[in-house]
Amino acid sequence: IYIVLYLILLLTSTVDIFPEIEKKNKLYILFICVVVLTLFRGLRWQTGTDWDQFYYCFENVEWSNLTSYDRYGDGTERMEVGYMVLNRVIRIFGDYTLFLILTNLFLVGTWAILSYKLVPQKPIMTFSLIVVSNMFFPVRLQLAVGFFVWALYALYKKKFIMAFLIAFLSYYIHK
């Protein structure tokens, strides 16, 4: 399945080499890529070496243990508060599939939006480069990086306090 996804990204990236294709059409292609990748990444079930650990974390997080949730149960690793809050809030509205879809939508959407805003000449190629350069199924680290790139964007826009606050938030998702 990965080769099919990579071929789709490669083929859609060819749109960027034709200057006559309108920017609006590139935006439509990015949107379709976001939907397809979000569904592929978000509708997975029992995929990945640590899937069970994160599923168990999602199922067992409570308001009372947000700051003390122990990932392994042996005192060796406490989960970050920001990540636990995210788990608990999403659990109010749905199950682990919703968590996976929303976190993947955030990441894939972030890559698409920033590719479109920061590299308007070649947004699809930029998006494809980011997708194939990252872990395919996100974990806490990638979620933290997803927030941090918004801090970089705020810095680019000279919104220094916002950049600092978002960077600080990313730390609480994964140290």
Side-chain angles (χ1 to χ4, degrees):
I1 190 81
Y2 295 102
I3 194 69
V4 171
L5 288 171
Y6 292 150
L7 283 172
I8 290 169
L9 288 171
L10 182 66
L11 293 173
T12 57
S13 292
T14 61
V15 169
D16 280 342
I17 62 174
F18 298 106
E20 63 273 4
I21 295 179
E22 294 181 33
K23 196 173 180 183
K24 177 179 69 171
N25 292 333
K26 292 179 181 186
L27 187 59
Y28 292 141
I29 292 170
L30 274 175
F31 177 77
I32 291 168
C33 287
V34 167
V35 169
V36 168
L37 287 171
T38 298
L39 290 175
F40 176 74
R41 292 163 48 118
L43 294 177
R44 68 190 175 104
W45 199 254
Q46 295 182 334
T47 302
T49 56
D50 54 4
W51 190 92
D52 287 328
Q53 292 173 19
F54 285 108
Y55 176 69
Y56 186 80
C57 171
F58 179 85
E59 289 293 314
N60 292 290
V61 64
E62 298 297 337
W63 293 114
S64 61
N65 67 2
L66 290 177
T67 60
S68 62
Y69 188 86
D70 186 354
R71 180 177 181 179
Y72 299 112
D74 61 4
T76 60
E77 184 179 343
R78 286 211 172 136
M79 297 293 279
E80 292 84 352
V81 175
Y83 182 75
M84 297 308 291
V85 168
L86 182 64
N87 274 266
R88 188 63 187 104
V89 168
I90 293 175
R91 202 174 99 199
I92 291 170
F93 301 103
D95 61 4
Y96 194 57
T97 299
L98 180 64
F99 176 82
L100 293 173
I101 287 174
L102 290 177
T103 54
N104 279 289
L105 179 61
F106 167 71
L107 286 170
V108 177
T110 292
W111 300 331
I113 290 166
L114 293 180
S115 295
Y116 190 77
K117 287 180 180 250
L118 296 174
V119 190
Q121 309 84 354
K122 307 267 188 249
I124 300 170
M125 282 186 177
T126 303
F127 173 78
S128 296
L129 175 68
I130 294 169
V131 168
V132 299
S133 299
N134 280 283
M135 292 179 265
F136 214 80
F137 296 112
V139 291
R140 293 174 310 175
L141 172 62
Q142 200 173 15
L143 284 173
V145 169
F147 278 94
F148 187 74
V149 297
W150 283 108
L152 293 174
Y153 185 70
L155 189 64
Y156 170 74
K157 292 290 193 175
K158 297 181 181 172
K159 296 179 180 179
F160 301 112
I161 293 173
M162 182 62 74
F164 175 76
L165 290 174
I166 296 171
F168 193 68
L169 174 64
S170 71
Y171 170 79
Y172 281 99
I173 292 177
H174 187 60
K175 299 177 199 171

